[in-house]
Amino acid sequence: FRDIAVALSVSVLISLLVAVTLIPALANRILGSPGEDSIVRRRVPVVDDFAALFMRSITGLTHWVTQSRLRSVAVVAVLCTVCTSVTWLLLPKLEYLPSGNRNLIIGFIVPPPGYNLDTMEQIARGYEKEVYPLLSEVSGPEPDAQGRPKLNRFFFVTFRGRTIMGAAAHDPSRVKDLIPILSEAAFKEPGTLGQITQRSLFGRGVTGTRAIDLNILGPDLEPLMQTALKAYLKVAGEFPRKEGNQVRPQPELVLGAPELRIRPDRVKLADNGVTARQLSDTIDAFNDGLRIAEITVGNKLIDLMIKGPLDQVTETQGISTLPVVTSAGLIIPASSLAQIEMTTGPTQINHFERQRAVTLSILPRDDVPLEEALDIIRAKIIDPMYAEGMPPGVSLRLTGTADKLAQTWEAMKLDLGIAVIIVYLVMAVLFESFLYPLIIMLSVPLATAGGVVGLSLLNQFTFQPLDMLTLLGFVILIGIVVNNAILLVHQTLVHIREDGMLPAEAIREATTNRIRPIFMSTLTSVFGMMPLVVFPGAGSELYRGLGSVVLGGLSLSAVLTLAIIPPLLTLVIGAGERHRRAAGGSGAAREDRREAAE
């Protein structure tokens, strides 16, 4: 967010310099000599009519509330209650970061375990056969008869046990429409798992900024895999693939890789004078070979290996007949010294914080915010599994984007708090009072309600979660919406201290004087921000939420500030000014005498 903060700060500072230097000079040059005759008035029908109605409404409300402290209390209580309720009811769930609209789709496809490389290549060729007719250079750039977009390019890479596939759309605006096309081709193979996602502008992972990792941790492999399979079935039930959700286990949830286990019989080894290390070295020598040293031949280092005859073992069952030499010089088969069994094992074993782990990478559909998905996982998957009982040592932990969202949200709450404190202290110094800045800061919750309303209205037309960029709009509002309240409070104090008006009269006069600049500045800000929200374009999906928050906050706070500041001033300004005079003491008296003499 540093770039946005720097741009806003520098632009505000430059606008201050322009306002006190260039604007007065141009005004003197263009407007000419002062006087009513030099002013040319032009009427803007719609704006002027709305402004006149707005002014009559606000001045009427101000005159009504300043006549009674009870009315002022009622207006403040109603506005605060309504704004708090609106914020609570309409505030959407949190999201981490927007994905953007990058023209690249990446898929990780995991077939059932045990497939060899040739089979994997045949499956990948099937993907290519499905997708090839949709390439733009094959069938043209126009969508096909079913309305499916064309691909600009497509690739796949096959490994043992997985395939990576990717594509880019000929029309970048329809890149997301490629996901169901590639998914249909990829998941035709029974038992195939995986994820096909659009690459995000933020984050370096394949799954972008929306993947939630549910880690199943434990010391023993078999109970770990059983728990992971149970968790996967629950996740698949809460996030079904047919609705656009994707779940990818890492590694596979079944022990499908063929595995030959040799369990040494320690009694038989002792009877024959053979150690377990000697038995394993012998079997290694007859299989892949046993490395015993590294020798130098010329200027090259070469491994010195001991190998048995290449045709000694041609079948898996031949392991049991491998010859082993005992300490007495006898040759006996390996089956006489160990139990040899054919079984299955994992294709890989992952670790997380030094524990064996199976990770379920959950990618909820686009219209489900991450906070809502996390709540579902905790309430309907993690908590029920703990309630049903977990194997000894097995635990569940959320990581990935869940951790990033929690860390960023904590940082944003701190930033919001610091922003409020700094703005309050700056105004306290300028007003030489802790009371009046407190009144001004009450306009911030009103702006929050406006920002939430603006975001809710945007969600009526397109899905826009409360991601961290959108949340930045609330930080920006803190420094903007207080300006209107500052104008009202400052002008009221000027009327009381310099013009000698009574508090109620000063409040009404200040409101009448400041409606026009407040109306003008709000209107220009709203229309200046509106293209970011209304008009689509490259990058609009990133800052559309931020724009709607600022737009809604400015619009509603302009009205509510004019409605809530006058009654607040009615309640406190009399006591505040009496306290100021009492604190001023003789210094204030001398100042009054000097002004009278002048």
Side-chain angles (χ1 to χ4, degrees):
F1 304 142
R2 188 179 293 114
D3 56 343
I4 301 177
V6 171
L8 287 174
S9 303
V10 173
S11 62
V12 169
L13 289 175
I14 293 178
S15 68
L16 173 63
L17 295 176
V18 171
V20 299
T21 57
L22 182 61
I23 299 302
L26 288 175
N28 182 65
R29 179 72 175 174
I30 295 173
L31 297 180
S33 59
E36 192 69 22
D37 296 337
S38 64
I39 299 176
V40 179
R41 300 184 182 275
R42 293 182 176 86
R43 188 175 185 278
V44 182
V46 177
V47 177
D48 281 356
D49 294 339
F50 177 74
L53 176 63
F54 182 77
M55 187 169 183
R56 287 195 303 269
S57 302
I58 295 299
T59 53
L61 177 64
T62 304
H63 184 78
W64 181 75
V65 298
T66 53
Q67 291 178 343
S68 169
R69 297 177 66 87
L70 183 60
R71 294 176 184 175
S72 299
V73 171
V75 170
V76 172
V78 169
L79 288 178
C80 291
T81 302
V82 170
C83 291
T84 303
S85 302
V86 167
T87 303
W88 178 263
L89 295 174
L90 298 182
L91 189 67
K93 296 290 186 178
L94 288 175
E95 182 73 36
Y96 179 46
L97 285 172
S99 299
N101 198 34
R102 188 175 178 182
N103 189 12
L104 180 60
I105 301 293
I106 293 291
F108 262 57
I109 311 302
V110 182
Y115 283 17
N116 57 27
L117 191 59
D118 292 337
T119 305
M120 289 295 301
E121 184 176 358
Q122 292 176 9
I123 295 174
R125 293 293 180 187
Y127 302 156
E128 183 183 30
K129 184 178 180 181
E130 292 280 342
V131 175
Y132 184 78
L134 291 176
L135 286 171
S136 58
E137 61 184 34
V138 174
S139 56
E142 296 79 13
D144 65 0
Q146 303 176 16
R148 297 183 298 177
K150 294 300 179 65
L151 282 69
N152 193 29
R153 57 186 180 272
F154 168 78
F155 70 89
F156 66 87
V157 182
T158 301
F159 303 92
R160 187 184 300 274
R162 71 179 58 186
T163 294
I164 300 176
M165 61 190 306
H170 182 79
D171 182 3
S173 63
R174 298 195 61 186
V175 60
K176 286 188 177 181
D177 295 338
L178 296 182
I179 295 178
I181 297 174
L182 298 181
S183 299
E184 182 181 358
F187 298 129
K188 279 187 174 181
E189 185 72 17
T192 300
L193 301 174
Q195 287 176 335
I196 299 177
T197 60
Q198 180 185 11
R199 286 299 306 271
S200 172
L201 293 176
F202 304 96
R204 299 178 181 178
V206 174
T207 53
T209 59
R210 305 199 74 246
I212 303 171
D213 291 340
L214 176 59
N215 296 286
I216 300 93
L217 313 175
D220 299 322
L221 196 58
E222 291 186 1
L224 176 65
M225 299 299 289
Q226 293 173 0
T227 305
L229 181 59
K230 182 179 178 181
Y232 175 80
L233 295 176
K234 287 182 176 293
V235 170
E238 297 295 335
F239 299 92
R241 179 186 292 177
K242 63 181 180 180
E243 295 181 3
N245 305 287
Q246 301 187 54
V247 184
R248 177 167 67 100
Q250 305 175 60
E252 293 85 350
L253 297 175
V254 293
L255 304 177
E259 183 175 279
L260 189 68
R261 294 182 183 177
I262 301 175
R263 303 180 186 273
D265 189 324
R266 298 187 180 277
V267 175
K268 293 181 180 179
L269 289 175
D271 291 343
N272 290 278
V274 180
T275 65
R277 175 64 181 271
Q278 290 171 342
L279 174 63
S280 65
D281 287 348
T282 300
I283 294 175
D284 279 344
F286 279 103
N287 283 279
D288 295 333
L290 179 65
R291 177 182 178 275
I292 59 172
E294 189 176 58
I295 61 175
T296 302
V297 178
N299 59 353
K300 295 182 179 180
L301 293 176
I302 299 177
D303 290 336
L304 181 61
M305 307 287 292
I306 295 179
K307 290 187 176 183
L310 296 179
D311 58 350
Q312 183 72 37
V313 178
T314 58
E315 297 177 353
T316 305
Q317 293 79 4
I319 296 291
S320 60
T321 62
L322 288 176
V324 180
V325 180
T326 67
S327 59
L330 300 176
I331 300 176
I332 59 176
S335 58
S336 299
L337 301 174
Q339 180 182 356
I340 301 175
E341 58 181 2
M342 179 64 68
T343 182
T344 57
T347 55
Q348 68 183 56
I349 300 177
N350 293 348
H351 288 79
F352 182 83
E353 294 183 351
R354 298 186 177 183
Q355 296 188 70
R356 290 178 174 177
V358 175
T359 301
L360 302 180
S361 180
I362 305 167
L363 191 65
R365 65 180 188 270
D366 291 341
D367 60 346
V368 176
L370 281 181
E371 186 182 12
E372 181 180 343
L374 289 171
D375 292 342
I376 294 174
I377 293 172
R378 292 190 183 100
K380 298 185 177 181
I381 297 172
I382 295 179
D383 292 345
M385 289 188 66
Y386 275 113
E388 295 169 5
M390 301 278 285
V394 178
S395 61
L396 304 176
R397 178 174 172 182
L398 287 170
T399 59
T401 307
D403 282 345
K404 295 178 182 178
L405 179 63
Q407 294 170 5
T408 308
W409 172 233
E410 292 299 322
M412 288 298 292
K413 288 193 293 186
L414 180 62
D415 292 343
L416 285 167
I418 291 175
V420 170
I421 292 172
I422 290 177
V423 172
Y424 175 77
L425 293 178
V426 168
M427 290 190 297
V429 171
L430 297 178
F431 278 101
E432 298 180 353
S433 169
F434 287 103
L435 178 61
Y436 298 130
L438 196 60
I439 296 174
I440 295 171
M441 291 305 296
L442 196 60
S443 61
V444 173
L446 306 182
T448 301
V452 172
V453 170
L455 192 59
S456 298
L457 291 176
L458 179 63
N459 273 284
Q460 301 302 315
F461 303 96
T462 180
F463 177 69
Q464 178 60 56
L466 184 59
D467 55 53
M468 295 299 111
L469 283 181
T470 302
L471 195 62
L472 184 62
F474 292 100
V475 181
I476 295 174
L477 280 177
I478 293 174
I480 296 178
V481 298
V482 296
N483 295 336
N484 296 336
I486 289 174
L487 289 176
L488 288 176
V489 174
H490 178 264
Q491 189 65 36
T492 302
L493 295 177
V494 168
H495 287 322
I496 292 176
R497 296 172 182 176
E498 298 184 8
D499 300 336
M501 292 184 180
L502 295 175
E505 182 184 2
I507 293 170
R508 290 194 290 266
E509 186 66 22
T511 304
T512 303
N513 293 341
R514 292 306 183 183
I515 285 181
R516 184 178 180 86
I518 289 175
F519 181 81
M520 292 170 62
S521 61
T522 301
L523 210 60
T524 53
S525 299
V526 166
F527 279 103
M529 187 69 67
M530 192 172 292
L532 187 64
V533 181
V534 176
F535 299 110
S540 63
E541 68 278 354
L542 299 181
Y543 294 104
R544 183 174 52 204
L546 185 150
S548 66
V549 167
V550 176
L551 194 65
L554 285 175
S555 304
L556 190 60
S557 68
V559 178
L560 296 183
T561 298
L562 289 167
I564 201 172
I565 296 298
L568 281 173
L569 288 174
T570 301
L571 295 173
V572 303
I573 198 168
E577 288 304 294
R578 286 194 297 270
H579 177 75
R580 175 180 175 272
R581 291 192 183 95
S586 60
R590 285 195 302 270
E591 183 180 348
D592 293 340
R593 288 195 297 271
R594 186 177 67 251
E595 291 178 355
E598 291 176 354

